[in-house]
C-alpha cells in the first residue's frame, strides 16, 4: 500500500468505544491505563493483544495532547543515555521496534543522522567520552568527525566549529502520527478510550475505584502514565517516591524555505538541565530551534516568554546564523516531566496490582513500544493473565511527511477521489479528502488543534489566517 493511503475504517471500527462526555459505562475493566500520551497509548495497544477488558483514560479531549504533542520528534539511538540504566535498554530496544512499526504503519521517518557539535575546547575535549558512552550503550557507529568534515557536511554552521560526534543512526519522526497509530490500533482491538476524564481520587481494595470527572471507573489493575501528573496519581495510591517538576521547553519553528540550510540533526554537547538547544529539520519540511529547559512550578505553563525566545535566537545565531533570517512559522512550548533522576521512574507494586510509569523524558517517544512490553511483563508478574495474545489489526496512517508522496501530488489517488485534489490549507497543502478522513477516524479529533495534528491543516506560515474558517466549517459539520 502506498504512503498516500489513509487509515481506513473497518468492521472493527463500528464496535469501537471512544467516549468524550457523559457518565462512564458501568463496567469493570481488567486493566486501566491513565494517560493517553505516546507511552500510555503504546501500553494500551500492547494490552489490546490480550483477551481482556482494557480502558485508556485521559483528562484531555484527545490522545497525545500533553507532553507528547510538543516532543522534539527525534527517533533516538540511545547513544547518550546513562549506560546500564533502564532508559538505555528501553530506548535501544524501542528504536528497533518503532523503526519497524513506523515502516509498516506509514509513520514518516527520515534517517538524517546527527552531529553533536563542539564549539569550544572544553566541548571538544568531551567528545571522546561521549563516543565511549555511546559504545557502553551498545551503539558502535558513533565517531568523532574533525572540524573540516563537519563544515563540509554542514556549510551553513556558524564560525568556531572545532569538531563533532557523528551519530549516523539518529532520525526524525512524526510524534503526532505515532501516538494516533497506537491509539487507533488499541481502540479497533476493543480498548475503551475515555477522554475528558480526569482522575480525582482512587479507592483501592479488591478492585481500584477511580473517582473521575465523569463518574466512577472500576478496574482490577491500574497503570499510571499520567506524565506531569504521575506523581499526583502515585500519591493517591499512597506513594511518594518522586516529584515531577514541569520543565518547559520553548521552540521556534521556521518556514519550509529554511529547510535547505541544514542536512542533519545538530545537537549541542549536553549540560546539567538536559541535551540543550538543537537545530533539527522536521518531517513536515520545517526547521526547529530549541528547546529551552526551564524548571517551573506550574504544570499548565505552556506559554512562551520573550526571555526564552531571545535565548533561542541567541543560540541559533551561533549554530546556524542564516536561520535567523528566515520566516518563523510558529512558536510553541511543551512541558517535560522532570524528576531529578537520570532514569525512568517505572515501578511495580504487585500487591496493589499497580504500575507507575513516570519521569519519561523526550526519549519516551522512541522507547514507547519497549516501555509498553516492559509494563505488560510487570503486570504479568503481578498476576495479570497474559495468555492468548494476538497481533492487532495492522494500521496504515495518513502520511504527513514531506519526504513521501502527499495526496495533492498523487494523480491516481485524485482520479479515484477528487477530494484529494481540492486543497483547503494552501500553506501545508492539505486537501478536503484528508480532512474528511481525519474526522472519520476511529479516534477522531476533539478540537481544531487535534485536526491539525492529524492533517497539518492550519499549521503553516499563515497559522490558519486564510484557511481557518473553511477548516472549522468542515470540522463543525462532521460534529453535527
Amino acid at each position: 500500500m502506498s504512503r498516500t493511503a489513509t487509515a481506513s475504517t473497518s468492521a472493527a471500527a463500528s464496535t469501537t468505544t471512544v467516549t468524550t462526555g457523559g457518565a462512564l459505562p458501568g463496567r469493570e475493566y481488567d486493566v486501566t491505563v491513565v494517560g493517553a500520551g505516546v507511552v500510555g497509548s503504546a501500553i494500551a495497544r500492547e494490552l489490546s493483544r490480550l483477551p481482556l477488558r482494557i480502558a485508556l483514560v485521559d483528562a484531555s479531549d484527545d490522545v497525545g495532547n500533553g507532553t507528547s504533542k510538543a516532543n522534539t520528534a527525534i527517533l533516538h539511538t540511545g547513544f547518550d543515555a546513562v549506560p546500564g540504566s533502564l532508559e538505555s535498554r528501553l530506548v535501544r530496544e524501542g528504536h528497533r521496534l518503532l523503526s519497524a512499526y513506523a515502516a509498516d504503519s506509514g509513520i514518516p521517518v527520515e534517517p538524517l543522522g546527527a552531529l553533536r557539535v563542539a564549539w569550544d575546547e572544553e566541548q571538544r575535549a568531551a567528545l571522546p567520552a561521549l563516543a565511549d558512552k555511546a559504545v557502553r550503550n551498545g551503539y558502535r557507529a558513533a565517531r568523532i568527525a574533525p572540524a573540516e568534515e563537519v563544515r563540509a557536511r554542514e556549510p551553513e554552521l556558524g564560525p568556531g566549529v572545532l569538531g563533532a560526534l557523528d551519530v549516523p543512526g539518529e532520525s526524525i519522526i512524526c510524534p503526532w502520527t505515532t501516538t494516533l497509530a497506537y491509539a487507533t490500533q488499541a481502540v479497533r482491538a476493543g480498548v475503551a478510550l475515555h477522554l475528558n476524564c480526569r482522575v480525582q481520587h482512587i479507592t483501592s481494595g479488591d478492585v481500584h475505584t477511580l473517582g473521575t470527572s465523569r463518574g466512577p471507573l472500576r478496574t482490577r489493575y491500574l497503570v499510571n502514565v499520567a506524565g506531569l501528573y504521575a506523581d499526583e496519581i502515585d500519591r493517591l495510591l499512597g506513594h511518594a517516591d518522586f516529584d515531577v517538576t514541569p520543565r518547559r521547553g520553548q521552540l521556534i519553528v521556521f518556514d519550509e524555505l529554511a529547510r535547505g540550510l541544514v542536512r542533519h540533526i545538530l545537537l549541542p554537547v549536553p549540560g546539567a538541565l538536559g541535551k540543550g538547544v538543537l537545530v533539527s529539520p522536521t518531517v513536515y519540511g520545517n526547521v526547529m530551534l530549541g528547546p529551552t529547559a526551564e524548571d517551573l512550578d506550574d504544570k499548565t505553563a505552556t506559554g512562551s516568554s520573550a526571555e526564552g525566545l531571545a535565548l533561542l535566537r541567541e543560540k541559533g545565531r551561533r549554530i546556524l546564523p542564516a536561520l535567523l533570517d528566515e520566516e518563523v512559522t510558529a512558536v510553541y512550548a511543551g512541558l517535560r516531566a522532570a524528576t531529578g533522576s537520570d532514569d525512568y521512574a517505572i515501578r511495580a507494586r504487585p500487591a496493589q496490582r499497580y504500575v507507575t510509569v513516570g519521569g519519561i523524558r523526550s526519549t519516551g517517544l522512541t522507547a514507547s513500544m519497549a516501555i509498553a512490553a516492559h509494563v505488560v511483563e510487570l503486570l504479568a508478574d503481578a498476576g495479570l493473565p497474559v495468555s492468548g495474545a494476538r497481533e492487532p489489526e495492522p494500521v496504515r496512517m495518513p502520511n504527513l511527511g514531506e519526504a513521501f508522496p502527499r495526496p495533492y501530488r498523487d494523480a491516481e489517488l485524485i482520479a479515484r477521489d477528487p477530494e484529494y485534489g481540492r486543497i483547503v490549507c494552501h500553506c501545508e497543502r492539505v486537501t478536503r479528502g484528508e480532512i474528511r478522513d481525519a474526522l472519520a477516524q476511529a479516534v477522531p479529533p476533539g478540537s481544531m488543534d487535534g485536526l491539525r495534528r492529524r492533517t497539518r491543516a492550519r499549521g503553516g506560515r499563515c497559522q490558519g489566517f486564510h484557511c481557518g474558517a473553511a477548516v472549522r466549517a468542515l470540522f463543525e459539520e462532521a460534529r453535527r
Side-chain angles (χ1 to χ4, degrees), residues 293-317:
E294 311 156 57
D295 286 347
L296 308 174
D297 296 323
D298 184 355
K299 294 183 178 181
T300 64
T302 56
S304 299
S305 68
E307 296 79 10
L309 298 180
L311 173 65
L312 291 181
R313 293 183 67 86
E314 176 188 339
K315 297 285 188 181
R317 187 170 288 109

Side-chain angles (χ1 to χ4, degrees), residues 201-261:
H201 55 84
I202 301 174
T203 302
S204 295
D206 292 337
V207 297
H208 301 287
T209 301
L210 279 58
T212 82
S213 55
R214 295 178 51 199
L217 183 151
R218 290 165 56 84
T219 184
R220 293 179 58 238
Y221 291 79
L222 182 62
V223 182
N224 167 17
V225 204
L228 292 166
Y229 300 92
D231 56 341
E232 298 178 25
I233 298 293
D234 226 29
R235 284 174 173 76
L236 295 179
L237 274 294
H239 309 294
D241 292 345
F242 64 94
D243 295 305
V244 171
T245 299
R247 181 168 291 166
R248 182 169 62 185
Q250 301 183 53
L251 298 107
I252 301 175
V253 180
F254 291 86
D255 187 74
E256 294 176 10
L257 294 174
R259 180 63 181 83
L261 296 175

Side-chain angles (χ1 to χ4, degrees), residues 147-302:
E148 316 81 68
E149 177 188 335
V150 175
R151 186 159 300 284
R153 291 169 60 179
E154 287 288 356
E156 297 295 336
L157 281 172
V161 174
L162 298 180
L165 184 68
D166 179 20
V167 190
E170 299 281 291
S171 303
I172 55 175
I173 187 172
C174 178
W176 305 333
T177 308
T178 305
T179 304
L180 185 61
Y182 294 156
T184 297
Q185 280 193 298
V187 165
R188 287 182 177 175
V191 171
L193 172 61
H194 300 305
L195 300 169
N196 298 310
C197 186
R198 182 178 297 278
V199 176
Q200 298 167 324
H201 55 84
I202 301 174
T203 302
S204 295
D206 292 337
V207 297
H208 301 287
T209 301
L210 279 58
T212 82
S213 55
R214 295 178 51 199
L217 183 151
R218 290 165 56 84
T219 184
R220 293 179 58 238
Y221 291 79
L222 182 62
V223 182
N224 167 17
V225 204
L228 292 166
Y229 300 92
D231 56 341
E232 298 178 25
I233 298 293
D234 226 29
R235 284 174 173 76
L236 295 179
L237 274 294
H239 309 294
D241 292 345
F242 64 94
D243 295 305
V244 171
T245 299
R247 181 168 291 166
R248 182 169 62 185
Q250 301 183 53
L251 298 107
I252 301 175
V253 180
F254 291 86
D255 187 74
E256 294 176 10
L257 294 174
R259 180 63 181 83
L261 296 175
V262 58
R263 303 170 184 174
H264 304 78
I265 303 164
L266 301 179
L267 303 171
V269 175
L273 284 180
K275 297 178 181 179
V277 173
L278 58 86
V279 173
S280 176
T282 74
V283 294
Y284 321 114
N286 306 99
V287 176
M288 181 172 58
L289 170 65
T292 58
E294 311 156 57
D295 286 347
L296 308 174
D297 296 323
D298 184 355
K299 294 183 178 181
T300 64
T302 56

